[in-house]
């Protein structure tokens, strides 16, 4: 599988392959969280099995509108990001630059100059030596997550091939917003099918779950009944696996677990906005937030309102709800909320569920962990263009890249990477 292809349902395809591989060609406008999400999606295709990073350019691409060079340190950083999210292999396309054809200007380890005296070759050689020093210490190590995000290609197609309600509605963009809030807090995430076993998770998020296939609502109900926290967003539970509307009121089979009835949904014109007024403020979530794109008109059927709309004819009606169901809770965000709301809300839930990052870090620093038997490997990636300081506490670690011992406050250079194993 050459990952993240919209027109191919890769969950279905993955059943017929032994190992997942993909090509990582981020665009200049992509956030690092978008790249991380794609890695996690590839890892999720075979239920957490390690995968291959089959292709990445060591310098530039040739087929994007603007083919900017990777800045010094970026090829190394992106390679270690792949390992940090579950890859066991890092490879490049291509070894030697082509002399003709459509990809003659695509980057290569060996450029048209034909020798090793280039910045790109030296960076790749350094990375190769570092990876060789790791030997097999992290191979076959696994991710562990308390949080899952549901992802479904059929849902993707159904949302974006539907006639209405809005041409601006993009499924992957909605998923990425919630993933980004978790990424910023360095919370590990698994990407799972809607019919996956949810029992090992504390929090499950299903952004824009427009299509609810047979058994999915029951799967969610069981998860929440047993103490899990579930979160979904506007325009969910609308159709079945055949893209037929589920009659009896929106959100279809999710009405019971969410405790709401959505009477209608309003697709706002470009530039139109509404507000979410928090009526049950907490330390992390208070005041007013902006929302738009789609606004569901919600009636409470057992749930409680945590926020209401501030404008339009449905001003004062719920736009953010919570339903206590069995031992757990189910939340509904009835509009396309601004990212600050999602960030604040995710922090609130994670604090309640005792879900936290392995190490506190400043903005722009990515931290993940992989586990092998009783060993934990902690990856720290500094995406900033400046060095940062992190406090590792009293524990002592070996940095597997350099072999040096680390503890207490440490500095990580711009675009720098640590892989730590506790001593």
């Amino acid at each position: 599988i050459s990952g993240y292809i919209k027109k191919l349902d890769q969950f279905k395809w993955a059943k017929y392959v032994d190992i997942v591989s993909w090509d990582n060609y981020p665009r200049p406008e992509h956030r690092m969280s978008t790249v991380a999400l794609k890695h996690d999606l590839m890892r999720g295709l075979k239920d957490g099995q390690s995968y291959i990073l089959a292709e990445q350019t060591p310098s530039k691409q040739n087929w994007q509108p603007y083919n900017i060079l990777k800045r010094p340190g970026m090829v190394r950083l992106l390679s270690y990001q792949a390992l940090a999210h579950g890859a066991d292999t890092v490879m490049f396309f291509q070894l030697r630059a082509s002399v003709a054809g459509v990809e003659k200007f695509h980057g290569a380890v060996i450029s048209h100059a034909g020798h090793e005296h280039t910045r790109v070759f030296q960076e790749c050689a350094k990375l190769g030596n570092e990876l060789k020093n790791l030997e097999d210490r992290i191979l076959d190590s696994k991710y562990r997550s308390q949080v899952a995000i549901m992802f479904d290609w059929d849902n993707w197609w159904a949302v974006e091939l539907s006639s209405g309600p809005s041409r601006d509605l993009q499924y992957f963009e909605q998923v990425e917003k919630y993933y980004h809030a978790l990424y910023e807090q360095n919370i590990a995430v698994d990407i799972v099918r809607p019919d996956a076993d949810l029992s090992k998770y504390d929090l499950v998020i299903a952004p824009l779950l427009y299509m609810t296939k047979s058994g999915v609502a029951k799967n969610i109900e069981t998860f929440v009944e047993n103490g899990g926290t579930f979160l979904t967003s506007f325009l969910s539970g609308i159709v079945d696996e055949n893209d037929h509307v589920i009659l009896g009121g929106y959100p279809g089979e999710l009405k019971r677990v969410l405790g709401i009835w959505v009477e209608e949904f309003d697709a706002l014109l470009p530039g139109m906005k509404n507000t979410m007024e928090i009526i049950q403020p907490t330390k992390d979530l208070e005041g007013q937030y902006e929302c738009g794109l789609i606004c569901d008109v919600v009636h409470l059927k057992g749930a409680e309102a945590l926020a209401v709309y501030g404008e339009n004819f449905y001003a004062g009606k719920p736009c953010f709800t919570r339903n206590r169901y069995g031992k757990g809770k189910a939340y509904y965000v009835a509009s396309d909320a601004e990212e600050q709301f999602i960030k604040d809300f995710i922090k609130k839930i994670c604090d309640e569920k005792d879900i936290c990052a392995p190490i506190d870090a400043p903005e722009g620093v990515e931290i993940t962990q992989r586990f092998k038997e009783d060993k934990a490997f902690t990856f720290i990636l500094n995406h900033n263009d400046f060095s940062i300081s992190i406090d590792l506490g009293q524990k002592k670690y070996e940095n597997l890249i350099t072999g040096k011992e680390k503890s207490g406050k440490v500095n990580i250079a711009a675009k720098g990477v640590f892989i730590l194993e506790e001593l």
Side-chain angles (χ1 to χ4, degrees):
I1 294 173
S2 187
Y4 176 64
I5 300 173
K6 180 179 178 180
K7 61 186 177 182
L8 175 66
D9 187 333
Q10 291 171 45
F11 275 124
K12 293 175 183 174
W13 188 258
K15 297 176 183 178
Y16 304 101
V17 300
D18 295 321
I19 189 167
V20 168
S21 70
W22 82 291
D23 307 341
N24 184 24
Y25 291 110
R27 294 180 178 273
E29 68 270 18
H30 282 169
R31 301 187 289 194
M32 282 297 102
S33 62
T34 304
V35 183
L37 169 55
K38 294 178 183 180
H39 280 298
D40 287 349
L41 180 56
M42 294 301 103
R43 191 186 69 248
L45 294 181
K46 292 189 75 69
D47 301 318
Q49 179 180 304
S50 300
Y51 59 93
I52 293 172
L53 180 60
E55 284 189 25
Q56 60 176 338
T57 177
S59 56
K60 64 180 182 299
Q61 286 129 210
N62 74 299
W63 42 266
Q64 292 183 357
Y66 307 98
N67 295 286
I68 191 170
L69 289 173
K70 283 184 176 175
R71 273 28 188 175
M74 279 303 299
V75 66
R76 177 176 182 263
L77 187 63
L78 287 169
S79 297
Y80 278 117
Q81 187 186 42
L83 298 183
H85 284 267
D88 275 351
T89 303
V90 173
M91 296 191 287
F92 297 103
F93 180 80
Q94 51 193 331
L95 177 60
R96 291 183 179 273
S98 303
V99 298
V102 70
E103 292 189 306
K104 63 182 177 294
F105 293 130
H106 193 287
V109 177
I110 302 172
S111 71
H112 289 135
H115 55 68
E116 73 274 23
H117 304 297
T118 64
R119 173 183 67 86
V120 170
F121 186 95
Q122 295 301 321
E123 287 195 31
C124 291
K126 178 184 177 182
L127 173 63
N129 286 328
E130 290 178 351
L131 294 176
K132 183 179 179 181
N133 291 338
L134 291 178
E135 299 178 326
D136 63 352
R137 295 170 78 169
I138 67 169
L139 290 180
D140 298 321
S141 58
K142 302 296 182 184
Y143 228 62
R144 293 178 187 170
S145 307
Q146 293 173 265
V147 181
I149 291 181
M150 288 184 177
F151 193 92
D152 184 17
W153 264 267
D154 286 324
N155 187 62
W156 194 353
W157 301 334
V159 166
E160 297 185 18
L161 294 176
S162 176
S163 180
S166 171
R167 65 182 294 177
D168 294 334
L169 190 58
Q170 301 290 320
Y171 175 60
F172 191 86
E173 179 182 293
Q174 294 299 318
V175 172
E176 200 276 336
K177 285 182 179 181
Y178 285 87
Y179 181 91
H180 179 73
L182 292 156
Y183 173 88
E184 281 199 321
Q185 297 173 52
N186 286 313
I187 303 297
V189 179
D190 283 343
I191 308 299
V192 301
R193 302 181 309 274
D195 62 349
D197 179 7
L198 306 178
S199 60
K200 66 179 179 179
Y201 300 108
D202 295 313
L203 170 62
V204 173
I205 303 173
L208 190 54
L209 189 60
Y210 172 75
M211 175 179 285
T212 46
K213 298 175 179 176
S214 178
V216 168
K218 181 59 180 175
N219 192 30
I220 292 167
E221 285 183 5
T222 301
F223 168 71
V224 180
E225 276 182 326
N226 291 330
T229 296
F230 175 70
L231 163 64
T232 189
S233 63
F234 62 94
L235 214 63
S236 289
I238 306 297
V239 301
D240 63 15
E241 59 265 36
N242 299 307
D243 200 25
H244 293 175
V245 172
I246 299 171
L247 301 179
Y250 316 132
E253 294 180 349
L254 299 176
K255 290 199 304 289
R256 184 165 63 175
V257 71
L258 293 171
I260 60 172
W261 167 46
V262 176
E263 182 179 357
E264 53 188 341
F265 40 84
D266 188 17
L268 302 190
L269 299 174
M272 290 179 66
K273 295 293 182 182
N274 208 319
T275 58
M276 304 172 66
E277 315 287 338
I278 303 298
I279 59 174
Q280 294 196 36
T282 66
K283 176 174 65 72
D284 297 312
L285 203 64
E286 60 182 358
Q288 182 186 94
Y289 296 91
E290 189 176 85
C291 64
L293 186 61
I294 303 290
C295 293
D296 287 349
V297 180
V298 175
H299 300 272
L300 301 177
K301 297 294 181 179
E304 57 184 321
L306 303 180
V308 297
Y309 290 113
E311 299 176 18
N312 221 308
F313 71 89
Y314 38 84
K317 287 194 175 294
C319 60
F320 173 39
T321 64
R322 176 178 60 202
N323 191 42
R324 301 179 190 275
Y325 189 84
K327 298 178 183 177
K329 301 172 184 176
Y331 291 89
Y332 191 73
V333 181
S335 184
D336 182 26
E338 66 168 279
E339 289 200 354
Q340 188 62 50
F341 168 83
I342 298 173
K343 178 180 178 180
D344 293 346
F345 177 42
I346 292 296
K347 183 178 187 309
K348 176 183 180 296
I349 294 181
C350 288
D351 286 348
E352 288 177 356
K353 304 292 287 188
D354 197 26
I355 302 170
C356 60
I359 297 172
D360 290 334
E363 185 177 353
V365 176
E366 180 177 355
I367 300 179
T368 70
Q369 287 185 313
R370 292 177 63 170
F371 298 87
K372 188 176 182 178
E373 298 171 349
D374 61 342
K375 296 179 180 178
F377 304 102
T378 302
F379 291 75
I380 305 177
L381 295 84
N382 181 15
H383 293 288
N384 294 300
D385 292 324
F386 49 85
S387 64
I388 53 91
S389 177
I390 289 181
D391 190 350
L392 300 178
Q394 299 301 313
K395 293 180 180 179
K396 293 183 179 180
Y397 301 88
E398 178 190 355
N399 183 0
L400 301 187
I401 297 175
T402 63
K404 295 181 179 179
E405 185 177 310
K406 298 289 182 181
S407 65
K409 290 186 176 181
V410 296
N411 289 319
I412 303 180
K415 309 302 181 189
V417 179
F418 284 0
I419 305 178
L420 303 178
E421 180 184 352
E422 188 176 348
L423 297 173

